[in-house]
């Protein structure tokens, strides 16, 4: 019989997950080796199943070495005592079948329920419902094909059919193709597919809800070339946007000047520079969002009058006399909206000392139901953090971890506290 899944490390994002990775024929098979590796590195056990055509693009030996498991390529495999790999493969603890690449022909086979090769046969035979105590095994397809093949009405019909039958389609991406053409049909990259799978497994605690996030620093101009900013990297806010999208939310991310890619999934990004621009972007959005998470490190003050031209040193030793005005408090402004327009507001407090006391003061001063406190200087720019949740009930510590793991834990806390959907809210 098949090997039992290995005992995984509990702290990795795919720990405990057993993935059946199917390869159908396509040049993108070269990315599947990397994908197998990414899934194993993320804690999953990976069982590879390949079609004959896939074996022409990459060898089972490569996939076996990367997954440390025998590869299955045909339904008459004599290694299985009951001669039924198409049944056994999805019955022995599989959490998902991921077919990458999924060729146009393979998608057509799945759409029609054909079973002429082990991989299609196994997809047809996988449990669809939890009947008889079994667990449904979801199917995820990562299409890879020439752009004309992807755009063809026959392929689009088949894709719509497999979706209607419950499969999840990941991508495809647009770009350069192996055939030299440019367009839709490229398989997603291995790391993107890994992240899609991790997202797929997250509990959908915010399904259909609208979440607004501010992230990063602001930049307050002194003149056209200089300004005042801070060390916020935006990583925590971007992690929260990603975690909320993974939990099924539609996310609007208002970002100050940061060097971070927009998280995958349902995340709409609005880039701003100054606190005033951030407020102008947030206010019209706040009214149609149910949750507002303000992680941005908004500058408290800005130069009263930014010079239109660069301030010049004149050799006299005189320095420019800068005067400041206070910036609007974005979080407090949103928290004061009339109840029917006000989202559930979550503030952050980056402190260097007396963290909980300052967070509790902020809770009262800003009039928000939840403040998330952290040690600002210790976390700026880093990938890990530790959070303390402060609300009217008391304090709760989220144990130190990487920002994404903390963001997922925070999303779960927010989901548990946010009031039921407002009538009239989107979705
Ligand atoms: O007032 P302080 O900056 O310490 O408060 C931090 C919290 O308030 C964060 O959630 C931050 O995003 C938000 N804030 C804001 N607008 C400001 C200052 C802070 O939204 N002008």
């Amino acid at each position: 019989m098949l090997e039992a899944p290995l005992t995984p490390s509990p702290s990795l994002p795919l720990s405990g997950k057993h993935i059946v990775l199917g390869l159908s024929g396509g040049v993108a098979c070269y990315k599947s080796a990397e994908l197998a590796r990414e899934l194993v590195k993320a804690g999953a056990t990976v069982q590879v199943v390949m079609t004959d055509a896939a074996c022409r693009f990459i060898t089972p030996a490569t996939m076996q070495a990367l997954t440390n498991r025998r590869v299955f390529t045909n339904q008459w495999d004599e290694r299985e005592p009951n001669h039924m790999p198409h049944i056994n493969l999805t019955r022995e603890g599989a959490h998902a079948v991921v077919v990458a690449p999924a060729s146009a022909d393979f998608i057509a086979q799945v759409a029609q329920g054909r079973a002429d090769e082990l991989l299609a046969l196994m997809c047809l035979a996988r449990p669809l419902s939890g009947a008889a105590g079994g667990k449904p095994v979801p199917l995820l397809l990562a299409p890879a094909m020439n752009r004309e093949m992807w755009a063809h009405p026959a392929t689009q019909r088949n894709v719509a059919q497999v979706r209607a039958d419950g499969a999840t389609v990941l991508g495809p991406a647009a770009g350069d193709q192996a055939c030299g053409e440019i367009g839709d049909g490229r398989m997603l990259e291995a790391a993107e597919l890994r992240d899609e799978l991790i997202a797929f497994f997250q509990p959908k605690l915010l399904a259909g809800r609208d979440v607004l996030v501010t992230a990063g620093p602001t930049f307050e101009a002194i003149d056209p070339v200089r300004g005042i900013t801070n060390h916020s990297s935006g990583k925590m806010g971007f992690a929260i946007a990603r975690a909320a999208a993974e939990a099924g939310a539609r996310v609007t991310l208002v970002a100050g000047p940061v060097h971070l890619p927009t998280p995958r999934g349902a995340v709409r990004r609005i880039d701003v520079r100054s606190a005033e621009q951030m407020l102008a972007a947030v206010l019209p959005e706040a009214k149609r969002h149910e949750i507002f998470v303000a992680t941005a490190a908004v500058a408290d003050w800005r130069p009263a009058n930014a010079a239109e031209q660069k301030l010049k040193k004149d050799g006299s030793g005189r320095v420019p006399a800068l005067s400041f005005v206070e910036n609007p408090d974005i979080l407090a402004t949103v928290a004061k909206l009339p109840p029917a327009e006000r989202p559930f507001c979550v503030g952050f407090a980056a402190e260097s000392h007396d963290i909980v006391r300052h967070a509790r003061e902020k809770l009262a001063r800003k009039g928000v139901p939840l403040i998330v406190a952290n040690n600002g200087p210790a976390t700026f720019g880093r990938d890990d953090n530790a959070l303390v949740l402060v609300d009217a009930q008391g304090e709760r510590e989220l144990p130190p971890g990487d920002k994404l793991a903390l963001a997922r834990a925070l999303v779960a806390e927010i989901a548990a506290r946010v009031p039921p959907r407002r009538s009239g809210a989107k979705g």
Side-chain angles (χ1 to χ4, degrees), residues 97-161:
V97 174
V98 180
V99 181
S103 64
D105 179 65
F106 184 77
I107 296 170
Q109 288 183 47
V110 173
Q112 292 175 22
R114 294 181 54 160
D116 17 17
E117 269 208 85
L118 174 59
L119 186 56
L121 173 59
M122 181 196 78
C123 289
L124 191 64
R126 79 187 201 282
L128 268 191
S129 71
K135 279 214 168 102
V137 179
L139 174 64
L140 296 91
L141 301 171
M145 65 196 76
N146 165 270
R147 67 191 173 100
E148 297 290 359
M149 293 167 75
W150 173 253
H152 196 285
T155 303
Q156 289 303 310
R157 234 180 4 252
N158 292 332
V159 168
Q161 184 61 58

Side-chain angles (χ1 to χ4, degrees), residues 277-296:
Q277 287 171 358
M278 191 172 271
L279 178 68
V282 161
L283 262 190
E285 296 289 342
K287 299 172 186 166
R288 59 166 208 89
H289 285 74
E290 301 165 270
I291 300 166
F292 175 43
V293 188
T295 70

